[in-house]
Amino acid sequence: MPQDCVFCRIVRGELPAEVVHREDGLLAIRDINPVARTHVLVIPDRHIADLRELSAGDADLWWQLTQAASRVAADLGHADGYRFFVSVGPGGGQTVFHLHVHVLGGAMTRLPQ
Ligand code: 5GP
Ligand code: ZN
């Protein structure tokens, strides 16, 4: 697990974050720079650099991330639906190279950087 990965450090409790949900294998935190009223990141505990690193053996983990996204969105008042996206690699706008799913609820106030 990279020592300097910001999301690994949040997972380990070394950096503060506003945790909205935690379960075995993942946590969900509020994005520090939100682009919608609700902007949550669902982050697996395990360091996975990006979506392309997932293998068939990670199918359960991917399912768990999607279920957690739905649950968090509903818990935060977005049972009617939410946006779900993943930035993949520098060309896809990814800036933190630890897999995470963006969950946006409500109108977007601006586009992600
Ligand atoms: P990406 O651009 O990789 O898809 O998304 C990374 C997201 O992580 C960005 O929306 C950014 O605002 C958020 N972020 C970066 N560093 C931190 C941090 O230390 N804490 C929190 N809560 N969010 C962060
Ligand atoms: Zn990491």
Side-chain angles (χ1 to χ4, degrees):
M1 185 182 278
Q3 297 304 308
D4 55 352
C5 168
V6 65
F7 288 169
C8 282
R9 295 190 67 197
I10 288 172
V11 165
R12 290 197 298 262
E14 294 172 8
L15 288 178
E18 192 178 340
V19 176
V20 295
H21 175 71
R22 171 139 228 168
E23 64 187 61
D24 197 27
L26 66 80
L27 87 167
I29 64 171
R30 288 199 189 268
D31 196 293
I32 205 169
N33 194 14
V35 300
R37 179 162 63 82
T38 296
H39 188 168
V40 167
L41 306 171
V42 183
I43 305 172
D45 290 347
R46 196 173 110 221
H47 184 86
I48 300 165
D50 73 39
L51 193 68
R52 297 169 294 190
E53 269 194 17
L54 284 181
S55 64
D58 295 319
D60 285 353
L61 174 62
W62 180 247
W63 177 84
Q64 188 187 5
L65 292 170
T66 65
Q67 295 307 297
S70 297
R71 176 179 166 177
V72 167
D75 286 351
L76 295 177
H78 304 288
D80 57 335
Y82 60 92
R83 285 190 174 85
F84 176 106
F85 74 87
V86 181
S87 309
V88 186
Q94 187 175 4
T95 57
V96 177
F97 297 95
H98 178 133
L99 178 64
H100 52 283
V101 169
H102 293 257
V103 176
L104 304 188
M108 291 177 74
T109 52
R110 59 185 173 82
L111 291 173
Q113 304 280 288

